[in-house]
Amino acid sequence: DVKVTQSSRYLVKRTGEKVFLECVQDMDHENMFWYRQDPGLGLRLIYFSYDVKMKEKGDIPEGYSVSREKKERFSLILESASTNQTSMYLCASSLGSSGAFFGQGTRLTVV
Amino acid sequence: DQQVKQNSPSLSVQEGRISILNCDYTNSMFDYFLWYKKYPAEGPTFLISISSIKDKNEDGRFTVFLNKSAKHLSLHIVPSQPGDSAVYFCAASAPHTGTASKLTFGTGTRLQVTL
């Protein structure tokens, strides 16, 4: 079974803090993704990566950056957290054009 | 611009009856469609998929139908069970070259299966 693990289930951070969300997958998948889920808006793609050190902007990249130094790990960085970044963050991985496997999610609250 | 639309935010169905969840898309380049199920405080889990070369795919109680001319797909669950109560997301992907095949999601439909 594919396992995608996100480092935290719940996080509370202060406005202006730099926040790191970590994601690790154990199936040697080439593609990794960061989504956020908000009520009424579904899942929106923030950034994705198709190879080590490669990254592409998704639909809502503003205020975020990513890092992929190793194939199994994809990090999402909030440079200066704001209250409108309070959300459920979901990491996913996939192989080629197959469907994506998701982690359990990180509920981030910015106060 | 919402390329994948789920126009019903919620649906309530009695246990044992059929649940039909609908999804429309606008991008004619989409060639692969998936349904995900999500419980609160958990990540989405893959349910069933269909390629654009097919019009139906069945897996146990779950069947997905694709109508390419109408750019419409639907998920049928029969019989519905209380454990099916969750949010269901429709997703689609387009062919890609040189980069990841990314999924575009709808806004979700919350299914409530009542006793």
Side-chain angles (χ1 to χ4, degrees):
Chain A
D1 274 358
V2 174
K3 191 163 185 184
V4 180
T5 304
Q6 295 181 229
S7 53
S8 304
R9 291 295 300 268
Y10 301 94
L11 274 179
V12 180
K13 296 291 181 181
R14 295 194 180 278
T15 302
E17 272 193 79
K18 190 168 186 175
V19 181
F20 293 86
L21 302 183
E22 306 286 348
C23 176
V24 177
Q25 50 98 0
D26 65 358
M27 283 301 292
D28 203 35
H29 282 175
E30 58 205 28
N31 306 319
M32 295 189 76
F33 308 83
W34 275 106
Y35 288 87
R36 64 178 279 179
Q37 183 201 355
D38 300 287
L41 297 176
L43 275 69
R44 294 179 293 165
L45 182 63
I46 304 171
Y47 265 98
F48 64 103
S49 168
Y50 54 93
D51 202 350
V52 175
K53 297 192 186 294
M54 305 303 287
K55 60 185 179 185
E56 283 201 25
K57 293 180 180 179
D59 300 317
I60 51 163
E62 297 79 17
Y64 303 94
S65 62
V66 291
S67 171
R68 190 147 181 221
E69 296 296 318
K70 294 184 178 181
K71 192 173 186 179
E72 67 271 18
R73 187 180 296 270
F74 192 37
S75 303
L76 179 70
I77 303 153
L78 285 67
E79 297 291 341
S80 177
S82 64
T83 54
N84 63 13
Q85 292 178 309
T86 291
S87 186
M88 168 72 92
Y89 289 87
L90 294 158
C91 174
S93 72
S94 72
L95 183 65
S97 58
S98 69
F101 295 86
F102 282 85
Q104 78 277 26
T106 297
R107 171 72 65 186
L108 172 67
T109 302
V110 182
V111 297
Chain B
D1 177 28
Q2 193 75 27
Q3 296 186 62
V4 178
K5 301 176 185 177
Q6 293 176 257
N7 292 319
S8 299
S10 63
L11 176 67
S12 183
V13 173
Q14 269 191 324
E15 182 181 12
R17 303 268 186 156
I18 185 170
S19 295
I20 300 176
L21 294 93
N22 294 304
C23 179
D24 298 294
Y25 61 96
T26 57
N27 187 343
S28 58
M29 296 300 292
F30 287 146
D31 67 346
Y32 191 60
F33 303 89
L34 308 91
W35 285 94
Y36 282 82
K37 175 180 180 179
K38 187 180 183 301
Y39 293 117
E42 292 184 16
T45 53
F46 170 74
L47 202 54
I48 192 169
S49 63
I50 188 167
S51 164
S52 60
I53 62 173
K54 294 186 173 182
D55 55 18
K56 177 182 175 182
N57 188 27
E58 192 172 352
D59 183 2
R61 296 186 297 114
F62 303 92
T63 303
V64 56
F65 295 92
L66 176 62
N67 181 334
K68 277 190 297 182
S69 61
K71 294 192 177 68
H72 177 83
L73 64 155
S74 61
L75 174 68
H76 292 209
I77 306 172
V78 55
S80 301
Q81 299 173 354
D84 296 330
S85 298
V87 177
Y88 289 78
F89 290 99
C90 170
S93 70
H96 66 286
T97 53
T99 184
S101 181
K102 57 181 184 176
L103 294 175
T104 300
F105 283 83
T107 52
T109 296
R110 181 177 301 278
L111 174 65
Q112 180 77 37
V113 179
T114 59
L115 297 173

